[in-house]
Amino acid sequence: MADLSNRPYIHWNDPNVEKIPPNEAEDIQAVADMINLIQKTHYNKTRHAYGGTHARTQGVVKGTFVVPDDLPKHLKQTELFEKGGEYQCICRYSSEPGDPGLDDRIPQPRGFAMKLFDVHGKMFSGFDWPTQDIEFNSTPALDLADAKTTKEIIDLRINYGNDKPELYKHLEKREDTTLQKGRDGVRNTHLESTRQYSQTAYRFGDYVIKYCLVPSSETQKKMYDETVKPEDGDDILSRWLKSFHEDHDAEYLFQVQLCENLEDQPVEYAGKVWDPEKYPWQTVATLKIPKQDSFNYERKMFWEDHMRVDPWHGLISLQPLGGPNRLRRVVYPASSAMRRKLNGRKEFNVTSINDIP
């Protein structure tokens, strides 16, 4: 196996890592307002509010995040990976769009999020809980690649989301047409067999990374060959997930991809995939999920009504980087506040996995 310890990894506070473009704050606030509008629109239809994205819960499971003690020195970064340990966690499978009733037979990006417990270290100001939030998406590149793009695309989706031919007319005028239309052509298969990506960059102790989650059991790998069919029903992904978790343990590799070349691996623009042939993925932990009911109604409602996963909730040494993450720092709290207000619920900063049904 190649020695990856002495490659020219970029330091996280290199002045070229983050460069804030003009008018970004205004673009971010506009996006927050549009996300709130989407939430209000769904509330008027269903009389229940959801997140502005990832509204459809496909399953919620408990597991263990295992960090080995023998990582090479360049991977022993942050308080989370500097030594071996096991961390209990709660994980949610989702569909990315903001429509909670989205038909599972419609190909769209899928999401995965997890909250790790008993993580100790220097946390962001105002966040005093020993937890680390980590989120993923099934597409390696983020179509909402920066704040300006996000504002433009969300506006198009609000105006033309129910008229795909008209939406595509507008998307086809853009230079990033392929990126924007790619979400409609994703492979629609078992969620527990789907690789998940951070899409955006993060600090990793001294360095900069993207991360991913790779299904590693043979059963999960085999399930990737089966795709959703028209006759499967509009809730097939949840049913497949429930059936799998009732009968099988799941296992995923948590891998990181370190930044070596900012021109080839941009941090500010999340619409470009970092080439894994040039910049290899390296495994730093394993997620283990034992057999269980993945669609526990009480647990699902607890997550949706009271919990929030936010990459800014956690270790300073895992700081989210780049424009899309600066956007999340504003949009996520705004979305959560709107959801709690409309539903008459309070947000809980859960500190123990035992607090979750």
Side-chain angles (χ1 to χ4, degrees):
M1 189 173 180
D3 181 6
L4 301 175
S5 60
N6 294 312
R7 291 167 68 120
Y9 298 129
I10 301 293
H11 200 277
W12 79 274
N13 63 359
D14 181 311
N16 294 310
V17 168
E18 289 192 291
K19 291 185 175 181
I20 301 176
N23 303 315
E24 183 183 77
E26 291 84 352
D27 290 340
I28 288 174
Q29 185 57 52
V31 172
D33 293 341
M34 287 190 284
I35 291 295
N36 282 167
L37 175 62
I38 291 171
Q39 292 176 289
K40 291 175 184 176
T41 300
H42 283 301
Y43 179 82
N44 284 337
K45 294 178 181 177
T46 66
R47 285 298 186 258
H48 192 83
Y50 298 85
T53 60
H54 297 275
R56 186 174 177 87
T57 298
Q58 303 289 8
V60 184
V61 293
K62 294 181 177 181
T64 306
F65 189 79
V66 182
V67 178
D69 200 32
D70 59 350
L71 291 174
K73 184 178 179 180
H74 72 287
L75 297 179
K76 284 184 175 291
Q77 301 292 322
T78 83
E79 298 93 328
L80 184 57
F81 299 102
E82 66 184 3
K83 61 183 178 180
E86 295 190 4
Y87 303 87
Q88 292 180 306
C89 62
I90 185 79
C91 310
R92 175 183 181 245
Y93 297 88
S94 64
S95 287
E96 187 215 274
D99 180 3
L102 181 73
D103 191 318
D104 286 348
R105 292 168 294 189
I106 299 173
Q108 285 289 284
R110 311 301 176 185
F112 189 87
M114 60 183 176
K115 185 183 290 288
L116 309 183
F117 296 93
D118 297 317
V119 177
H120 297 278
K122 293 183 179 179
M123 300 289 180
F124 280 102
S125 176
F127 184 75
D128 301 322
W129 300 275
T131 57
Q132 176 66 50
D133 292 0
I134 306 175
E135 62 178 18
F136 307 81
N137 190 287
S138 63
T139 58
L142 177 59
D143 48 6
L144 307 178
D146 53 36
K148 180 176 181 293
T149 301
T150 303
K151 182 182 73 170
E152 293 169 352
I153 295 301
I154 296 295
D155 184 58
L156 288 176
R157 291 178 186 172
I158 288 173
N159 288 311
Y160 307 110
N162 293 322
D163 185 350
K164 184 164 284 187
E166 187 64 26
L167 175 63
Y168 270 37
K169 285 181 184 178
H170 290 270
L171 294 180
E172 285 162 2
K173 296 176 183 177
R174 298 178 56 89
E175 293 183 359
D176 62 350
T177 300
T178 301
L179 177 65
Q180 297 304 333
K181 292 167 65 174
R183 63 188 294 112
D184 295 327
V186 297
R187 200 169 189 276
N188 203 8
T189 186
H190 289 257
L191 294 175
E192 72 281 353
S193 70
T194 300
R195 185 173 294 204
Q196 299 279 350
Y197 302 87
S198 69
Q199 301 182 313
T200 58
Y202 290 79
R203 179 183 173 185
F204 185 60
D206 292 336
Y207 306 122
V208 176
I209 59 165
K210 287 186 178 182
Y211 55 75
C212 74
L213 201 62
V214 182
S216 56
S217 77
E218 290 304 314
T219 304
Q220 288 167 272
K221 293 176 185 177
K222 290 176 182 176
M223 288 183 167
Y224 186 76
D225 294 332
E226 185 173 0
T227 56
V228 173
K229 301 176 183 62
E231 63 270 20
D232 284 332
D234 61 4
D235 64 342
I236 184 60
L237 295 180
S238 294
R239 288 190 284 112
W240 271 352
L241 198 66
K242 182 177 176 65
S243 177
F244 171 82
H245 280 295
E246 284 177 346
D247 296 328
H248 303 280
D249 296 337
E251 184 174 288
Y252 297 85
L253 303 180
F254 183 84
Q255 300 181 329
V256 298
Q257 185 183 32
L258 279 77
C259 183
E260 302 177 39
N261 183 328
L262 286 169
E263 289 189 6
D264 203 26
Q265 299 173 280
V267 169
E268 286 295 345
Y269 182 75
K272 182 178 180 180
V273 176
W274 293 1
D275 186 345
E277 297 297 322
K278 292 182 183 178
Y279 315 107
W281 291 104
Q282 303 178 57
T283 301
V284 295
T286 303
L287 173 62
K288 298 183 178 181
I289 302 172
K291 298 176 187 177
Q292 60 192 280
D293 177 8
S294 67
F295 210 87
N296 177 299
Y297 291 101
E298 186 180 4
R299 184 183 297 173
K300 171 185 175 293
M301 292 308 299
F302 183 85
W303 182 299
E304 291 181 348
D305 281 358
H306 302 295
M307 287 180 60
R308 172 160 69 99
V309 168
D310 186 328
W312 289 95
H313 286 182
L315 296 166
I316 293 175
S317 57
L318 278 171
Q319 177 182 329
L321 300 172
N325 280 321
R326 292 192 296 272
L327 181 146
R328 287 167 172 162
R329 197 169 196 179
V330 175
V331 172
Y332 279 19
S335 171
S336 178
M338 178 61 68
R339 181 158 41 127
R340 314 306 166 188
K341 176 182 177 180
L342 294 176
N343 291 336
R345 298 288 186 267
K346 293 182 179 179
E347 181 180 312
F348 296 155
N349 288 296
V350 181
T351 59
S352 168
I353 198 159
N354 296 323
D355 295 337
I356 301 170

